Amino acid sequence: IGQNFSANLGGFSNLNTNESIDSSELSFEMRMTTQATASIRLPNNLFKAVLNVTNNTRITHAVFLSDSLFLRRDSNDLEVGGIIISASVVGYNSIENLTSLVTISFLKNPSINGSGPLCSFWNPILDDRYGDWSSDGCRIDESYKDTQDYVTCFCDHLTSFSILLD
């Protein structure tokens, strides 16, 4: 079974203001939860894509509550519409072209009046190494309807993921 990681904020209310987040409002679980603010499921054959795996090989996860560390020169009218969740394998700069896809689920931020979510990841190489969001290697679950609160994405690599809304 692949590894799962979920983050739950209990809603977006504090993210939409300058109030700080009370740590009691933030929880993490090592399993997929149906009502998580964001979750990521790594494929069970992930380590087949990684050479020199040992018992000490570690996977790290991070959750970013805002996109303030992901500065873009041009937003292209697309706004980050969920929290940012990431996964990486310690010691590897990139894990890409996975045959079994990474599954990422997001709760859409209700204060953003956007539509047409785009499954995206932060690519630091784009825009002359200034960085920007890209959807290469990611796709949205085909059963998604614009009226749903949750978006599920499938990607063929590990990095920092979110959804963009226009």
Side-chain angles (χ1 to χ4, degrees), residues 19-85:
E19 296 177 36
S20 62
I21 300 291
D22 181 350
S23 62
S24 67
E25 297 177 49
L26 186 61
S27 65
F28 301 99
E29 296 187 40
M30 296 308 292
R31 61 185 176 89
M32 297 293 275
T33 58
T34 56
Q35 297 300 313
T37 309
S39 59
I40 188 166
R41 175 181 290 146
L42 305 180
N44 58 5
N45 63 353
L46 171 68
F47 287 116
K48 289 181 182 176
V50 179
L51 301 175
N52 303 319
V53 174
T54 68
N55 287 340
N56 296 327
T57 302
R58 295 175 302 201
I59 296 172
T60 61
H61 297 284
V63 173
F64 302 91
L65 303 180
S66 78
D67 63 345
S68 61
L69 295 176
F70 301 85
L71 300 176
R72 299 182 281 173
R73 287 195 268 195
D74 181 17
S75 68
N76 298 325
D77 296 326
L78 297 174
E79 193 169 354
V80 174
I83 66 172
I84 300 163
I85 190 167

Side-chain angles (χ1 to χ4, degrees), residues 4 13 17 42 45 73 77 79 81 94-95 99 102 104 116 135-136 141 165:
N4 302 306
S13 59
T17 67
L42 305 180
N45 63 353
R73 287 195 268 195
D77 296 326
E79 193 169 354
S94 69
I95 304 290
T99 54
V102 177
I104 313 105
S135 61
D136 293 344
D141 184 347
L165 301 173

Side-chain angles (χ1 to χ4, degrees), residues 33-166:
T33 58
T34 56
Q35 297 300 313
T37 309
S39 59
I40 188 166
R41 175 181 290 146
L42 305 180
N44 58 5
N45 63 353
L46 171 68
F47 287 116
K48 289 181 182 176
V50 179
L51 301 175
N52 303 319
V53 174
T54 68
N55 287 340
N56 296 327
T57 302
R58 295 175 302 201
I59 296 172
T60 61
H61 297 284
V63 173
F64 302 91
L65 303 180
S66 78
D67 63 345
S68 61
L69 295 176
F70 301 85
L71 300 176
R72 299 182 281 173
R73 287 195 268 195
D74 181 17
S75 68
N76 298 325
D77 296 326
L78 297 174
E79 193 169 354
V80 174
I83 66 172
I84 300 163
I85 190 167
S86 70
S88 62
V89 177
V90 174
Y92 291 85
N93 288 336
S94 69
I95 304 290
E96 49 193 19
N97 300 317
L98 296 170
T99 54
S100 295
L101 300 178
V102 177
T103 304
I104 313 105
S105 296
F106 300 96
L107 173 64
K108 291 191 301 188
N109 187 335
S111 70
I112 298 175
N113 292 325
S115 62
L118 182 64
C119 297
S120 302
F121 70 96
W122 183 254
N123 186 339
I125 303 299
L126 294 179
D127 197 11
D128 293 326
R129 297 193 178 271
Y130 194 81
D132 204 348
W133 293 97
S134 172
S135 61
D136 293 344
C138 292
R139 64 177 172 80
I140 195 167
D141 184 347
E142 294 174 6
S143 66
Y144 173 77
K145 305 287 186 260
D146 228 14
T147 56
Q148 292 175 289
D149 294 334
Y150 285 89
V151 177
T152 299
C153 301
F154 303 103
C155 298
D156 68 359
H157 55 279
L158 298 182
T159 187
S160 298
F161 302 97
S162 193
I163 51 172
L164 300 180
L165 301 173
D166 60 7

